[in-house]
Amino acid sequence: MNYEVYCDESGIEALFDKNAHKYTVIGGIWIPKEYRGQLKKDLNEIKHRFNVWGEIKWNKISPAYLDMYKEVVDFFFKSPKIRFRAIIINSANINHDKYNNGCGELGFYKFYYQLIHHWLNPNNVYDIFVDYKVNGYKYRINELEKILRYSNNVNRVQALPSHESVAIQLADILTGSVASKFNDETVSLAKLEIRNCIERHKPIKPTSIGENKFNIFDINLRKGW
């Protein structure tokens, strides 16, 4: 089968400044390629019912749109065709000087590889879309694609602006909620309610690799990884 993966991240600053907070989280949703049109249609119907025409994301959650975000969360958990996986990275155990040539950006994309690689089935073909960002080295996405293709059936890795993809926006909401829970952030009551809404379906905590719906990979880093 052909699948698409849509990824986003939260708390990336911890990879560059260990005092920012404890955890960085990279997350993504996995869907059958044929389901993309239906996903877009269903999410946009939810948004438009609440007169929202722009981007939805974790940092935009507010009391005025709380019911909409609850519907988005419930939609995710009710759909058997959407899976979510996040990787949790403890910044205290990262040594960019030793393992990443002093480059936090390189380390970041190594963790992207860890998120994606372990959930790829060699019998399937994948298109992977990551949230667009300006990288210090402009060929980072090409390198990620090259290394993922080495042992997997990856068709492409492409960066997309999140405002152009409701799938990346869904990944953002779920990833942001996981990051806020692991970092024990003081969040608004509206964000806390969305986090609680998620936890009414699944607890936000590390899972086994066999958890298929809402998988949280707390990577076991060697000291100084």
Coordinates of all heavy atoms in Angstrom, one line a residue, residues 174-223:
L174 N -1.5 17.4 18.0 CA -1.2 16.2 18.8 C 0.3 16.3 19.4 O 0.5 16.0 20.6 CB -1.3 15.0 18.0 CG -2.7 14.7 17.4 CD1 -2.8 13.5 16.5 CD2 -3.7 14.5 18.6
T175 N 1.2 16.8 18.6 CA 2.6 16.9 19.0 C 2.7 17.9 20.1 O 3.4 17.7 21.1 CB 3.5 17.2 17.8 OG1 3.4 16.2 16.8 CG2 5.0 17.3 18.2
G176 N 2.1 19.1 19.9 CA 2.1 20.1 20.9 C 1.6 19.7 22.3 O 2.1 20.0 23.3
S177 N 0.5 18.9 22.2 CA -0.1 18.4 23.5 C 0.8 17.4 24.2 O 1.0 17.5 25.4 CB -1.4 17.7 23.2 OG -1.2 16.5 22.5
V178 N 1.5 16.6 23.4 CA 2.5 15.7 24.0 C 3.6 16.4 24.7 O 4.1 16.1 25.8 CB 3.0 14.6 23.0 CG1 4.1 13.8 23.6 CG2 1.9 13.7 22.5
A179 N 4.2 17.4 23.9 CA 5.3 18.2 24.5 C 4.9 18.9 25.7 O 5.7 19.0 26.7 CB 5.8 19.2 23.4
S180 N 3.7 19.5 25.8 CA 3.3 20.3 27.0 C 3.2 19.3 28.2 O 3.5 19.7 29.3 CB 2.0 21.0 26.7 OG 0.9 20.1 26.7
K181 N 2.7 18.1 27.9 CA 2.6 17.2 29.1 C 3.9 16.7 29.6 O 4.2 16.7 30.8 CB 1.7 16.0 28.6 CG 1.5 14.9 29.6 CD 0.7 15.4 30.8 CE 0.5 14.3 31.9 NZ -0.5 13.3 31.5
F182 N 4.8 16.3 28.7 CA 6.1 15.8 29.1 C 7.0 17.0 29.8 O 7.8 16.7 30.7 CB 6.9 15.2 28.0 CG 6.6 13.8 27.8 CD1 5.4 13.4 27.1 CD2 7.4 12.8 28.3 CE1 5.1 12.0 27.0 CE2 7.1 11.4 28.1 CZ 5.9 11.0 27.5
N183 N 6.8 18.2 29.3 CA 7.5 19.3 29.9 C 6.8 19.9 31.1 O 7.4 20.9 31.7 CB 7.8 20.4 28.8 CG 8.9 20.0 27.8 OD1 10.0 19.7 28.3 ND2 8.6 20.1 26.5
D184 N 5.7 19.3 31.4 CA 4.9 19.8 32.6 C 4.7 21.3 32.5 O 4.9 22.0 33.5 CB 5.7 19.4 33.9 CG 4.8 19.5 35.1 OD1 3.6 19.4 35.0 OD2 5.3 19.7 36.2
E185 N 4.3 21.7 31.3 CA 4.1 23.2 31.1 C 2.8 23.7 31.8 O 1.8 22.9 31.9 CB 4.0 23.4 29.6 CG 5.3 23.3 28.8 CD 5.1 23.5 27.4 OE1 3.9 23.8 26.9 OE2 6.1 23.5 26.6
T186 N 2.9 24.9 32.3 CA 1.7 25.6 32.7 C 1.0 26.1 31.5 O 1.5 27.0 30.8 CB 2.0 26.7 33.7 OG1 2.7 26.2 34.8 CG2 0.8 27.4 34.2
V187 N -0.1 25.5 31.1 CA -0.8 25.9 29.9 C -2.2 26.6 30.3 O -2.6 26.5 31.4 CB -1.0 24.7 29.0 CG1 0.3 24.1 28.5 CG2 -1.9 23.6 29.7
S188 N -2.8 27.2 29.3 CA -4.1 27.8 29.5 C -5.1 26.7 29.8 O -4.9 25.5 29.5 CB -4.5 28.6 28.2 OG -4.7 27.7 27.1
L189 N -6.2 27.1 30.3 CA -7.3 26.2 30.6 C -7.8 25.5 29.4 O -8.2 24.3 29.4 CB -8.4 26.9 31.4 CG -8.1 27.3 32.8 CD1 -9.3 28.1 33.4 CD2 -7.8 26.1 33.7
A190 N -7.8 26.3 28.3 CA -8.3 25.7 27.0 C -7.4 24.6 26.5 O -7.8 23.5 26.1 CB -8.4 26.8 25.9
K191 N -6.1 24.9 26.6 CA -5.1 23.8 26.1 C -5.2 22.6 27.1 O -5.0 21.5 26.6 CB -3.7 24.4 26.1 CG -3.4 25.3 24.9 CD -2.0 25.8 24.9 CE -1.7 26.7 23.7 NZ -0.3 27.2 23.7
L192 N -5.3 22.9 28.4 CA -5.4 21.8 29.3 C -6.6 20.9 29.0 O -6.6 19.7 29.1 CB -5.5 22.3 30.8 CG -5.6 21.3 31.9 CD1 -4.3 20.4 31.9 CD2 -5.7 22.0 33.2
E193 N -7.7 21.5 28.6 CA -8.9 20.8 28.3 C -8.7 19.9 27.0 O -9.2 18.8 27.0 CB -10.1 21.7 28.1 CG -11.4 21.0 27.7 CD -11.8 20.0 28.8 OE1 -11.6 20.2 30.0 OE2 -12.4 18.9 28.4
I194 N -8.0 20.4 26.1 CA -7.7 19.6 24.9 C -6.8 18.5 25.3 O -6.9 17.3 24.8 CB -7.0 20.5 23.8 CG1 -8.1 21.5 23.3 CG2 -6.5 19.6 22.6 CD1 -9.4 20.9 22.8
R195 N -5.8 18.7 26.1 CA -4.9 17.7 26.6 C -5.7 16.6 27.3 O -5.5 15.4 27.1 CB -3.8 18.2 27.5 CG -2.5 17.5 27.4 CD -1.4 18.3 28.0 NE -1.5 18.4 29.5 CZ -0.8 19.1 30.2 NH1 0.2 19.9 29.7 NH2 -0.9 19.2 31.5
N196 N -6.6 17.0 28.1 CA -7.5 16.1 28.9 C -8.4 15.3 27.9 O -8.7 14.1 28.1 CB -8.3 16.8 29.9 CG -7.5 17.3 31.1 OD1 -6.4 16.9 31.3 ND2 -8.0 18.3 31.8
C197 N -8.8 16.0 26.9 CA -9.7 15.4 25.8 C -8.9 14.2 25.2 O -9.4 13.1 25.0 CB -10.1 16.4 24.8 SG -11.2 15.7 23.5
I198 N -7.6 14.4 24.9 CA -6.8 13.4 24.3 C -6.7 12.2 25.3 O -6.8 11.1 25.0 CB -5.4 13.9 24.0 CG1 -5.5 14.9 22.8 CG2 -4.4 12.8 23.7 CD1 -4.2 15.6 22.5
E199 N -6.4 12.6 26.6 CA -6.2 11.5 27.6 C -7.5 10.8 28.0 O -7.4 9.7 28.6 CB -5.5 12.1 28.8 CG -4.1 12.6 28.5 CD -3.2 12.6 29.7 OE1 -3.3 13.6 30.5 OE2 -2.4 11.7 29.8
R200 N -8.6 11.3 27.6 CA -9.8 10.5 27.8 C -9.8 9.3 26.8 O -10.5 8.3 27.0 CB -11.1 11.4 27.6 CG -11.3 12.2 28.8 CD -12.7 12.8 28.8 NE -12.8 14.0 27.9 CZ -12.5 15.2 28.3 NH1 -12.1 15.5 29.6 NH2 -12.6 16.3 27.5
H201 N -9.1 9.5 25.7 CA -9.0 8.4 24.7 C -7.7 7.5 25.0 O -7.8 6.3 25.0 CB -8.8 9.0 23.3 CG -10.1 9.7 22.8 ND1 -11.1 9.0 22.2 CD2 -10.4 11.0 22.8 CE1 -12.1 9.8 21.9 NE2 -11.7 11.1 22.2
K202 N -6.6 8.2 25.2 CA -5.3 7.5 25.4 C -4.5 8.3 26.3 O -4.4 9.6 26.2 CB -4.5 7.3 24.1 CG -5.2 6.4 23.1 CD -4.9 4.9 23.4 CE -5.3 4.0 22.3 NZ -5.0 2.6 22.6
P203 N -3.8 7.7 27.3 CA -2.9 8.5 28.2 C -1.7 9.0 27.4 O -1.2 8.3 26.5 CB -2.5 7.5 29.3 CG -2.7 6.2 28.6 CD -3.9 6.3 27.7
I204 N -1.2 10.2 27.8 CA 0.0 10.8 27.1 C 1.2 10.3 28.0 O 1.6 10.9 28.9 CB -0.1 12.3 27.1 CG1 -1.4 12.7 26.2 CG2 1.1 12.9 26.4 CD1 -1.6 14.3 26.2
K205 N 1.7 9.2 27.6 CA 2.8 8.6 28.3 C 3.5 7.6 27.3 O 3.0 7.2 26.3 CB 2.4 7.8 29.5 CG 1.5 6.6 29.2 CD 1.1 5.9 30.5 CE 0.4 4.6 30.2 NZ 0.0 3.9 31.5
P206 N 4.8 7.2 27.6 CA 5.5 6.3 26.7 C 4.7 5.0 26.5 O 4.1 4.5 27.4 CB 6.8 6.0 27.4 CG 7.0 7.3 28.3 CD 5.6 7.7 28.7
T207 N 4.7 4.5 25.3 CA 4.0 3.3 24.9 C 5.0 2.2 24.4 O 6.1 2.5 24.1 CB 3.0 3.6 23.8 OG1 3.6 4.0 22.6 CG2 2.0 4.7 24.2
S208 N 4.4 1.1 24.2 CA 5.2 0.0 23.6 C 5.2 0.3 22.1 O 4.4 1.0 21.5 CB 4.6 -1.4 23.8 OG 3.3 -1.5 23.1
I209 N 6.2 -0.3 21.4 CA 6.3 -0.2 19.9 C 5.0 -0.7 19.2 O 4.7 -0.3 18.1 CB 7.5 -0.8 19.4 CG1 7.8 -0.3 17.9 CG2 7.4 -2.3 19.4 CD1 9.2 -0.7 17.4
G210 N 4.3 -1.6 19.9 CA 3.1 -2.2 19.3 C 1.9 -1.3 19.4 O 0.8 -1.7 18.8
E211 N 1.9 -0.2 20.1 CA 0.8 0.7 20.1 C 0.6 1.4 18.8 O 1.5 2.2 18.3 CB 1.0 1.8 21.2 CG 0.0 2.9 21.2 CD -1.5 2.5 21.2 OE1 -1.8 1.7 22.1 OE2 -2.2 3.1 20.5
N212 N -0.5 1.1 18.1 CA -0.7 1.6 16.7 C -1.4 2.9 16.5 O -1.2 3.6 15.5 CB -1.4 0.5 15.9 CG -0.5 -0.7 15.6 OD1 0.7 -0.5 15.3 ND2 -1.1 -1.9 15.6
K213 N -2.2 3.3 17.5 CA -3.0 4.5 17.3 C -2.3 5.7 17.8 O -2.2 6.7 17.1 CB -4.4 4.3 18.0 CG -5.3 5.5 17.8 CD -5.7 5.7 16.4 CE -6.7 6.8 16.1 NZ -7.0 7.0 14.7
F214 N -1.8 5.7 19.0 CA -1.2 6.9 19.6 C 0.1 6.4 20.3 O 0.1 6.1 21.5 CB -2.2 7.5 20.7 CG -1.9 8.9 21.1 CD1 -2.1 10.0 20.3 CD2 -1.4 9.1 22.4 CE1 -1.8 11.2 20.8 CE2 -1.1 10.3 22.9 CZ -1.3 11.4 22.1
N215 N 1.1 6.4 19.5 CA 2.4 5.8 19.9 C 3.3 6.9 20.4 O 3.6 7.9 19.6 CB 3.0 5.0 18.7 CG 4.2 4.3 19.1 OD1 5.3 4.9 19.3 ND2 4.1 3.0 19.2
I216 N 3.9 6.7 21.5 CA 4.9 7.7 22.1 C 6.2 6.9 22.3 O 6.3 6.1 23.2 CB 4.4 8.4 23.3 CG1 3.1 9.2 23.0 CG2 5.5 9.3 23.9 CD1 2.5 9.9 24.2
F217 N 7.2 7.3 21.6 CA 8.5 6.6 21.7 C 9.5 7.5 22.5 O 10.0 8.5 22.1 CB 9.1 6.5 20.2 CG 10.5 5.9 20.1 CD1 11.0 5.1 21.1 CD2 11.2 6.3 19.0 CE1 12.3 4.6 20.9 CE2 12.5 5.8 18.8 CZ 13.0 4.9 19.8
D218 N 9.7 7.1 23.7 CA 10.6 7.7 24.6 C 12.0 7.1 24.4 O 12.4 6.1 25.0 CB 10.2 7.5 26.1 CG 11.0 8.4 27.1 OD1 11.9 9.1 26.6 OD2 10.8 8.2 28.3
I219 N 12.8 7.7 23.5 CA 14.0 7.1 23.0 C 15.0 7.0 24.2 O 15.2 7.9 25.0 CB 14.6 7.9 21.8 CG1 15.8 7.1 21.2 CG2 15.0 9.3 22.2 CD1 16.2 7.7 19.9
N220 N 15.7 5.9 24.3 CA 16.7 5.6 25.3 C 18.0 6.0 24.8 O 18.7 5.2 24.2 CB 16.6 4.1 25.7 CG 17.6 3.8 26.8 OD1 18.0 4.7 27.5 ND2 17.9 2.5 27.0
L221 N 18.4 7.2 25.1 CA 19.7 7.8 24.6 C 20.8 7.3 25.5 O 20.7 7.3 26.7 CB 19.6 9.3 24.6 CG 18.6 10.0 23.7 CD1 18.6 11.5 23.9 CD2 18.8 9.6 22.2
R222 N 21.9 7.0 24.9 CA 23.1 6.9 25.7 C 23.5 8.3 26.2 O 23.2 9.3 25.6 CB 24.3 6.4 24.8 CG 24.1 5.1 24.1 CD 25.1 4.8 23.1 NE 25.2 6.0 22.1 CZ 25.7 5.9 20.9 NH1 26.1 4.7 20.5 NH2 25.7 6.9 20.1
K223 N 24.1 8.3 27.3 CA 24.5 9.6 27.9 C 25.4 10.3 26.8 O 26.5 9.8 26.4 CB 25.3 9.4 29.2 CG 25.6 10.7 29.9 CD 24.2 11.4 30.4 CE 24.5 12.6 31.2 NZ 23.3 13.3 31.6

